[in-house]
């Protein structure tokens, strides 16, 4: 009985070696093929379907093991997979790249930042910064993630409450194609027109204002409709212009009040004669 088993083993050895030679190969230039006898690279693993390379302990279902899998979904028309399994066994794990330093490039062979992407990024939920961590500013984008922030973009600066936008050469920083709605807008400006109430201010006469309107069809120092349609309007500057006109109008009313009081005084004097 023992002799028969030994004979069967010896007969199978050549077949096993022949099978290994057909599926695995080191070619004449040193390329290694596993699952293929025609390796196309230094190491070519061909599972002929779904599968690939596993680094680590293969007992993923028994728990307590960690591994990294490099897989293909199918032989043709599929996709590639890099998947980590954590120490809990079948629980999926995290993938860490350049944990000790260095940058990562996607489509960029010379990345100059921790992550450099040469192209577009598509994500259903993207967070920039450290959302949820106190005193760190962040931006997050939500799209149908099952949260109350769905379809919203949030920009938050917890530390100093400021959001700073800057541009060079007077460029438009944030163009808005549509309606901008806000509970409060604060515009910083200088040269607030309280100088109208100064004794040195020369209030234009109503006659000169009337003449200007007849010639130009708008108030002095106020942009015309054509100018606003072409260039838009600066809210800070326009508020200063409007306040200047209100203050000038107030001075005209004060002067008119003086005239009215003088006329009333004379009327009373005439009635008492």
């Amino acid at each position: 009985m023992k002799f028969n088993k030994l004979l069967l083993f010896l007969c199978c050895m050549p077949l096993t070696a022949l099978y290994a030679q057909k599926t695995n190969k080191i070619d004449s230039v040193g390329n290694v093929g596993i699952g293929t006898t025609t390796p196309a690279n230094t190491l070519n693993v061909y599972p002929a379907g779904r599968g690939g390379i596993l680094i680590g302990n293969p007992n993923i279902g028994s728990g307590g093991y960690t591994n990294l899998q490099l897989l293909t979904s199918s032989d043709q028309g599929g996709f590639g997979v890099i998947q980590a399994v954590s120490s809990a066994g079948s629980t999926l794990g995290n993938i860490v790249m350049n944990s000790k330093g260095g940058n990562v490039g996607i489509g960029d062979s010379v990345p100059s930042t921790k992550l450099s992407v040469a192209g577009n990024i598509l994500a259903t939920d993207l967070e920039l910064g450290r959302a949820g961590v106190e005193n760190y500013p962040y931006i997050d984008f939500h799209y149908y993630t099952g949260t109350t922030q769905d379809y919203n973009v949030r920009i938050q600066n917890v530390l100093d409450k400021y959001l700073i936008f800057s541009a060079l050469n007077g460029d438009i920083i944030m163009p808005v194609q549509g309606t901008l709605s806000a509970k409060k807008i604060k515009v910083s400006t200088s040269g607030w027109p309280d100088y109208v109430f100064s004794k040195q201010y020369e209030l234009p006469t109503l006659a000169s204002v009337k003449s200007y309107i007849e010639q130009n069809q708008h108030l002095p120092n106020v942009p015309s409709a054509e100018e606003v349609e072409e260039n838009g309007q600066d809210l800070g500057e326009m508020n200063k212009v409007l306040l200047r006109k209100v203050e000038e109008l107030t001075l005209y009313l004060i002067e008119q009040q003086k005239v009215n009081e003088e006329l009333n005084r004379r009327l009373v004097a005439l009635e008492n004669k």
Side-chain angles (χ1 to χ4, degrees), residues 8 28 35 39 107 113 121 123 143 152 167 225 248 262 271:
L8 179 62
S28 59
T113 58
I121 297 177
Y143 175 74
N152 289 334
E248 288 178 346
E262 178 61 22
E271 289 178 347

Side-chain angles (χ1 to χ4, degrees), residues 241-255:
V241 168
L242 294 176
L243 180 60
R244 177 179 175 180
K245 295 307 171 185
V246 169
E247 292 180 345
E248 288 178 346
L249 181 59
T250 301
L251 292 178
Y252 290 133
L253 290 174
I254 291 173
E255 290 298 322

Side-chain angles (χ1 to χ4, degrees), residues 188-237:
S188 297
T189 186
S190 59
W192 204 241
D194 286 351
Y195 55 81
V196 172
F197 296 138
S198 170
K199 293 182 179 180
Q200 286 74 35
Y201 182 73
E202 295 184 4
L203 183 66
T205 64
L206 287 175
S208 65
V209 174
K210 178 177 179 295
S211 175
Y212 185 92
I213 292 174
E214 290 175 347
Q215 294 179 20
N216 300 281
Q217 306 302 308
H218 63 88
L219 287 170
N221 306 119
V222 175
S224 66
E226 291 80 8
E227 291 174 321
V228 173
E229 289 176 2
E230 181 178 355
N231 304 317
Q233 57 176 299
D234 184 314
L235 290 179
E237 291 300 316

Side-chain angles (χ1 to χ4, degrees), residues 2-111:
K2 291 182 178 181
F3 176 76
N4 292 337
K5 291 182 177 180
L6 178 61
L7 181 62
L8 179 62
F9 174 75
L10 293 175
C11 290
C12 289
M13 283 185 63
L15 294 176
T16 304
L18 179 61
Y19 178 77
Q21 289 175 359
K22 287 184 176 180
T23 57
N24 306 321
K25 183 178 181 179
I26 302 177
D27 64 15
S28 59
V29 295
N31 291 336
V32 177
I34 300 176
T36 176
T37 58
T38 56
N41 215 317
T42 304
L43 174 61
N44 189 174
V45 178
Y46 177 42
R50 182 175 181 176
I53 299 175
L54 188 146
I55 303 173
N57 195 302
N59 296 320
I60 61 175
S62 59
Y65 299 102
T66 302
N67 63 62
L68 178 66
Q69 304 168 13
L70 285 75
L71 310 171
T72 57
S73 63
S74 61
D75 190 19
Q76 293 181 331
F79 50 87
V81 178
I82 300 177
Q83 180 64 63
V85 175
S86 72
S87 60
S90 59
T91 302
L92 302 181
N94 300 323
I95 294 177
V96 180
M97 304 180 70
N98 283 350
S99 60
K100 295 183 179 180
N103 300 325
V104 176
I106 299 177
D108 184 359
S109 60
V110 286

Side-chain angles (χ1 to χ4, degrees), residues 75-196:
D75 190 19
Q76 293 181 331
F79 50 87
V81 178
I82 300 177
Q83 180 64 63
V85 175
S86 72
S87 60
S90 59
T91 302
L92 302 181
N94 300 323
I95 294 177
V96 180
M97 304 180 70
N98 283 350
S99 60
K100 295 183 179 180
N103 300 325
V104 176
I106 299 177
D108 184 359
S109 60
V110 286
S112 58
T113 58
K114 285 295 181 182
L115 176 62
S116 177
V117 180
N120 298 328
I121 297 177
L122 176 63
T124 56
D125 188 357
L126 177 63
E127 293 185 355
L128 305 177
R130 300 182 65 181
V133 180
E134 185 177 1
N135 293 338
Y136 280 90
Y138 70 88
I139 304 174
D140 63 7
F141 303 80
H142 287 268
Y143 175 74
Y144 200 64
T145 58
T147 68
T148 56
Q149 292 84 26
D150 281 352
Y151 306 103
N152 289 334
V153 176
R154 296 186 301 171
I155 305 177
Q156 183 170 340
N157 188 344
V158 182
L159 185 60
D160 56 19
K161 310 299 182 184
Y162 283 100
L163 299 176
I164 299 175
F165 300 88
S166 61
L168 299 176
N169 302 323
D171 295 332
I172 296 176
I173 297 174
M174 188 176 64
V176 177
Q177 298 294 331
T179 301
L180 180 62
S181 176
K183 293 182 178 179
K184 184 178 181 180
I185 297 178
K186 183 177 180 181
V187 179
S188 297
T189 186
S190 59
W192 204 241
D194 286 351
Y195 55 81
V196 172

